[in-house]
Amino acid sequence: MASDLVRFSVAIPSTLLGEFDAFAARRGIAVNRSEAIRDLMREKLAEDELDEPDTEVVGSITMVYDHHMPDLTHKLDEVQHDHIPLIVSTMHVHLDHHNCLEILAVRGRSSEVHELADCLLGIKGVRHGKLACTVLQG
Ligand code: NI
């Protein structure tokens, strides 16, 4: 709401401002500087909130692995069956003769989601593993 907006001035080097404008234009994150800065502030605050163990987060865990690796698929299954409440959905794609892509949609306390990701991505043979999560805005 417009009535909630506060104006303040910030002094920054012109080169930094130029680089920021170019960054915002590349990313297409905003139509003006104020919106670009608001977006970045919200992003940083959400990132900070992610570090709080009790924060409710949603996101995905992406993994690529060779399903021929002995015992690997069994270990991945075991870990997932031990964390059923955190896993909303899974998708498995057989990429080629060797490689599988698995994507898990996850939801839960930040500390538990991170623990699950560490557990899965730490299994020998999992490549290109990544957790991406965000905080649900009320
Ligand atoms: Ni597969």
Side-chain angles (χ1 to χ4, degrees), residues 15-117:
T15 50
L16 179 59
L17 183 59
E19 287 173 23
F20 179 75
D21 285 345
F23 162 80
R26 269 198 317 276
R27 290 259 308 259
I29 56 175
V31 292
N32 62 51
R33 277 183 192 149
S34 292
E35 189 54 39
I37 290 168
R38 282 195 290 269
D39 283 353
L40 286 184
M41 289 172 86
R42 289 189 192 103
E43 193 178 309
K44 285 294 158 195
L45 290 170
E47 272 176 27
D48 186 56
E49 214 178 332
L50 284 175
D51 290 337
E52 295 296 321
D54 289 331
T55 297
E56 173 89 1
V57 300
V58 294
S60 63
I61 298 172
T62 305
M63 302 175 282
V64 173
Y65 58 87
D66 182 342
H67 72 103
H68 292 121
M69 172 83 75
D71 217 26
L72 177 55
T73 54
H74 173 69
K75 285 178 187 166
L76 289 171
D77 270 356
E78 283 292 306
V79 172
Q80 292 184 46
H81 280 273
D82 287 342
H83 295 84
I84 289 171
L86 295 175
I87 301 170
V88 181
S89 178
T90 64
M91 181 169 73
H92 185 105
V93 180
H94 308 300
L95 294 173
D96 55 35
H97 184 68
H98 293 282
N99 295 298
C100 300
L101 165 69
E102 200 155 309
I103 303 169
L104 280 60
V106 293
R107 179 176 191 162
R109 290 176 64 234
S110 177
S111 59
E112 292 174 332
V113 167
H114 280 84
E115 185 192 313
L116 169 61

